[in-house]
Amino acid sequence: MMTPLLGCIADDFTGATDLANNLVRAGMRTVQTIGVPESADAVFADAIVVALKSRTVPATAAVAQSLKAYQWLKAQGVSQIYFKYCSTFDSTPAGNIGPVTDALLDAIHGEGKGFTIVCPAFPENQRTIFNGHLFVGEQLLSDSGMRDHPLTPMTDANLVRVMQAQTKRRVGLVNYAAVSKGADAIKAAFQNLQDQGYGVAVVDAISNTDLMAMGAALAGMPLVTAGSGVAIGLPQNWRATGQLPPSDHADQLPPPSGYQAVISGSCSVATNQQVAVWRDAGLPALAIDPLGLANGTTTADAAADWARQHLPKGPVLVYATAAPEVVREIQAQLGVAAAGALVESALSGIAVSLIESGVRQLVVAGGETSGAVVQALAVERMAIGPQIDPGVPWTCVNAAAAGDQTVHVALKSGNFGTPDFFQKAFAALTPKSA
Ligand code: ADP
C-alpha cells in the first residue's frame, strides 16, 4: 500500500516532465498524467504530476482545470499540493499564476485565507531570485529574451509587483538575508508575513543550498507554488518522518524490450545536429518530405514499411527535421500551420504503426511532435525513469497499439540533448552487462 505524498499541477506538458524529472532525481517515484485522469484508480507513486495546458488559456479556464486537478489529487490522498509554472514566470496581469494560486488557496483554506510562496528559481538552469527580482543568467528577466515573448512578454523582473498585479492576496518578500540563515529563519519570515496579513511570499534563492533550506521550511505547507527547482528540497521532509524510504531506485522502470526507433519532427539547431550525427554513423534514416506528403508521393504507410524492413537489425530514424531555409521554402508553399499539421499527423501515424510492429523503445524529438505522438497513442500516464540528458528522462507508458504492453518513450523538446542524443538514449536503456 502506498499513498502518494506530493500532488503537482503543472501548467504545461514539458514543464510537467521537467518537474517529474527533478522529483525522481531527488528520490521520489513519480507518475505523470496527461490531463486530469477520468479514472479515480489509485496511482502507485510517491509523487503525481498532472500535466495541464493552462499556461496561456483564459484565466477562468486555467482555474477550472487546476481545481479539477486539485480535487483528483486530493482524492489520491496527497499531503501537499505543488502548482508548477515556468521558471521565467510566464504570465500576464490577467494570469494565470495569480488566479490559479488564489483559487487553490481558497479551495484548501477558505475564501481569502491561507498562505503560500512564489518561487520560480532554478539555479541549475540559471534562474535565480534576489531581492524579489528574477534573473535569467546575468540578466534581469525584463532584459532577457522573455521581454519579447509573443504570448507572455515579461517586462518587469520584480516578482512581488508581477504577482501582486494578478492576485487578490497581499504579496510580500522573504529576502536573501532570511533565506541565507536557513530553514528556521525562513519559517519565521513566513510567520511574520502571515501575521501582517500577507497571503503570498516571493522567496529569494540563488543556489541549490537555498532551495534545500527553503524545502525544509515548506514542510507541512498545504500549497506550494514554484518552478521545478523548489521540488528538490521537498523529499527530505518525508524522509525525516519516515514516509519516504531513502530510495536510490526512484528512476527504475521495467526492463526494456522490443525494437528501437526515433521519430523526429523538430527543426531546432540541436535536433538538426542529432540527425546529422545519426546519419554520419551510417545508421538507417528516412527523411519525410512534407511536399511529398502534400502531393501524395510520400505516405506514412510507405515510411512505416521502410522502417519495418530495418527494425530487426537495429534502431531506425524517421525524420522531417530540416534546415531553416528548407523549412521556410516548405512553409511558403504549404503555409506554416498546414505544413506543421501535415508533418505531425504523418509522424504520429508512423509512430503508432511502428509500435504496432513491435517497437517498444521510442524517442520522439520536438515539443509539438511529442504532443501529437502521445495523443495518437492515447497515453494517459507515464512513469518517469532515468534522465538521458538534463530535462529529458526515459518514461514508461501503456499503449493500446502495443497490445497494452509497456513502451519506453523519451520525449525530447527541440533544443535539448547533446549531438549524440539519439544513440545515447538507447545505450542508457541497455542493461549493463555484469
Ligand atoms: P521543437 O521542439 O523543436 O519546437 P516541435 O515539434 O515543437 O519542435 O515543432 C516543430 C514543428 O515543425 C512541428 O509542427 C512539425 O510538424 C513542423 N515541421 C517539422 N519538419 C518540418 C518541415 N520539414 N517543414 C515544415 N514544418 C516542419
Side-chain angles (χ1 to χ4, degrees):
M1 192 40 218
M2 175 180 200
T3 303
L5 300 164
L6 183 66
C8 310
I9 303 167
D11 69 356
D12 90 333
F13 185 84
T14 44
T17 310
D18 174 19
L19 172 62
N21 187 51
N22 276 356
L23 289 167
V24 167
R25 287 196 299 150
M28 295 183 95
R29 288 160 291 184
T30 304
V31 166
Q32 179 178 333
T33 72
I34 320 294
V36 183
E38 292 300 328
S39 143
D41 291 355
V43 173
F44 295 97
D46 301 312
I48 308 173
V49 181
V50 176
L52 301 179
K53 234 174 156 341
S54 57
R55 183 169 295 168
T56 53
V57 300
T60 47
V63 164
Q65 285 183 38
S66 305
L67 286 175
K68 191 173 162 212
Y70 162 68
Q71 295 298 349
W72 184 86
L73 287 165
K74 197 173 137 192
Q76 289 284 332
V78 302
S79 55
Q80 190 166 43
I81 297 284
Y82 192 109
F83 169 41
K84 193 270 173 197
Y85 37 73
C86 189
S87 66
T88 42
F89 211 68
D90 301 18
S91 56
T92 72
N96 291 336
I97 298 174
V100 170
T101 301
D102 278 332
L104 291 171
L105 281 175
D106 288 350
I108 295 169
H109 297 276
E111 182 75 28
K113 300 205 182 86
F115 184 84
T116 190
I117 65 153
V118 155
C119 185
F122 193 3
E124 268 181 34
N125 271 358
Q126 281 76 53
R127 308 288 194 267
T128 54
I129 306 172
F130 189 73
N131 282 334
H133 288 70
L134 179 57
F135 289 83
V136 175
E138 293 177 353
Q139 288 181 313
L140 281 168
L141 174 68
S142 46
D143 292 331
S144 77
M146 279 306 295
R147 66 172 300 112
D148 300 316
H149 192 281
L151 301 175
T152 52
M154 302 302 292
T155 54
D156 188 358
N158 182 329
L159 294 179
V160 175
R161 221 159 33 207
V162 173
M163 185 62 177
Q164 191 62 80
Q166 303 179 28
T167 171
K168 60 187 185 192
R169 288 171 168 79
R170 276 180 78 197
V171 183
L173 173 68
V174 175
N175 69 16
Y176 197 68
V179 171
S180 61
K181 288 197 191 85
D184 289 341
I186 300 170
K187 262 173 111 159
F190 290 161
Q191 192 57 54
N192 188 25
L193 285 174
Q194 247 179 307
D195 293 345
Q196 294 178 58
Y198 288 90
V200 178
V202 172
V203 188
D204 280 357
I206 60 173
S207 69
N208 278 2
T209 309
D210 300 334
L211 295 182
M212 294 308 284
M214 193 190 312
L218 294 172
M221 187 179 282
L223 174 71
V224 172
T225 91
S228 66
V230 168
I232 69 168
L234 297 179
Q236 60 178 327
N237 297 326
W238 292 293
R239 269 198 200 102
T241 58
Q243 287 166 286
L244 183 68
S247 164
D248 301 331
H249 306 298
D251 66 355
Q252 265 191 352
L253 296 177
S257 63
Y259 298 143
Q260 303 170 320
V262 183
I263 301 277
S264 178
S266 157
C267 296
S268 70
V269 175
T271 308
N272 268 289
Q273 214 178 1
Q274 288 152 354
V275 168
V277 166
W278 179 278
R279 293 183 51 103
D280 291 348
L283 294 163
L286 179 71
I288 302 285
D289 173 16
L291 298 176
L293 290 172
N295 66 24
T297 54
T298 303
T299 63
D301 284 347
D305 282 341
W306 171 89
R308 269 188 286 273
Q309 287 172 20
H310 290 84
L311 283 171
K313 289 169 269 170
V316 304
L317 164 67
V318 178
Y319 65 99
T321 307
E325 60 280 8
V326 177
V327 174
R328 270 195 296 275
E329 176 57 34
I330 290 164
Q331 289 174 333
Q333 293 198 36
L334 301 178
V336 175
L342 193 62
V343 171
E344 282 169 37
S345 152
L347 291 183
S348 54
I350 294 167
V352 171
S353 186
L354 294 189
I355 286 183
E356 285 168 351
S357 305
V359 167
R360 294 291 177 271
Q361 302 172 41
L362 179 69
V363 175
V364 185
E368 293 300 324
T369 309
S370 293
V373 168
V374 162
Q375 201 170 22
L377 290 172
V379 168
E380 287 173 354
R381 295 177 187 194
M382 353 187 27
I384 308 297
Q387 172 174 293
I388 305 163
D389 266 330
V392 200
W394 271 111
T395 73
C396 246
V397 307
N398 288 313
D404 276 331
Q405 279 181 355
T406 306
V407 183
H408 286 71
V409 177
L411 306 174
K412 184 193 85 77
S413 75
N415 269 316
F416 284 0
T418 54
D420 62 344
F421 179 85
F422 297 150
Q423 289 100 313
K424 189 158 85 180
F426 295 121
L429 273 191
T430 310
K432 315 266 177 301
S433 54

